[in-house]
Amino acid sequence: MGLGNLKIGLRLYGGFGIVVLLAVVVGVIAIFGMYKLAGLTSKMYRHPLAVSNAVRDVKANINAMHRSMKDVALSEKIEDVNRFAAIVDDYEQNVYESFNIIFDQFLGDKSDVSKAHQAFYDWKIIRDEVIQLSRLGEKDKAVAITKGKGARHVAYMDDNIQFMIDFASNK
């Protein structure tokens, strides 16, 4: 008994059933694909994108801090020194907040993050020395430290931070 011997209604129901079955299979495959894509997108957003944004913020804030430290060193009035030092402190808090994100979500070797964090922490000693000299009116010494030891330390921090940027970009 072939398909030609079946009644037309039965053939129509069979054909319609096959089409509905194929639509359901395609729909189920699409739903599973969407869940997988949503998971990958979420993973990308939580890890590499969040880390690269936080590292970018660290780098930008460090550069702003260095610029403000130059203003501290070049300031003539104690009020200006205090104002620029307060700006540096605000940027410092932003950097520490960004480092918290990086520590939580960095997928690479955490010792690289620790090294960059320690370099930033060590910079505080140099900054405090420049601020203290500026408050004492020893502008030439403050400028020399900012241009010498301070600039070298900022370059060292940039190298450590660039490594994290490159790692997050590759992820």
Side-chain angles (χ1 to χ4, degrees):
M1 184 166 175
L3 286 177
N5 296 337
L6 294 176
K7 293 184 180 179
I8 189 78
L10 193 55
R11 282 189 268 173
L12 285 174
Y13 284 128
F16 184 69
I18 290 172
V19 169
V20 169
L21 180 66
L22 287 174
V24 168
V25 168
V26 168
V28 168
I29 291 171
I31 289 172
F32 281 117
M34 286 189 306
Y35 279 122
K36 184 175 182 177
L37 183 61
L40 290 172
T41 302
S42 176
K43 185 178 178 182
M44 180 186 73
Y45 177 75
R46 279 193 317 249
H47 294 286
L49 186 61
V51 168
S52 64
N53 286 343
V55 173
R56 179 205 64 214
D57 292 344
V58 165
K59 189 169 187 167
N61 285 322
I62 285 173
N63 289 331
M65 288 173 71
H66 187 53
R67 186 179 57 248
S68 293
M69 286 306 298
K70 288 178 182 179
D71 292 335
V72 166
L74 295 172
S75 293
E76 298 289 335
K77 299 178 193 171
I78 190 77
E79 297 85 21
D80 291 337
V81 171
N82 291 334
R83 182 169 51 91
F84 289 121
I87 291 170
V88 169
D89 290 342
D90 290 340
Y91 284 126
E92 180 182 24
Q93 291 308 312
N94 293 340
V95 170
Y96 280 123
E97 289 170 12
S98 295
F99 265 118
N100 288 338
I101 293 169
I102 296 167
F103 271 116
D104 288 342
Q105 298 182 6
F106 190 69
L107 296 176
D109 188 2
K110 298 284 186 179
S111 67
D112 296 327
V113 179
S114 296
K115 186 177 176 183
H117 184 267
Q118 186 63 44
F120 178 73
Y121 182 79
D122 293 343
W123 187 35
K124 175 84 170 142
I125 297 166
I126 299 169
R127 292 191 327 260
D128 288 344
E129 184 180 4
V130 170
I131 291 169
Q132 185 64 26
L133 288 170
S134 295
R135 286 181 177 150
L136 294 174
E138 297 186 35
K139 181 177 160 182
D140 293 336
K141 288 182 182 177
V143 169
I145 291 172
T146 301
K147 285 184 169 183
K149 185 168 43 169
R152 283 190 303 275
H153 200 82
V154 169
Y156 173 71
M157 286 186 295
D158 277 345
D159 291 342
N160 288 314
I161 292 167
Q162 189 61 46
F163 178 80
M164 291 187 297
I165 290 172
D166 293 342
F167 182 85
S169 294
N170 289 334
K171 274 294 189 187

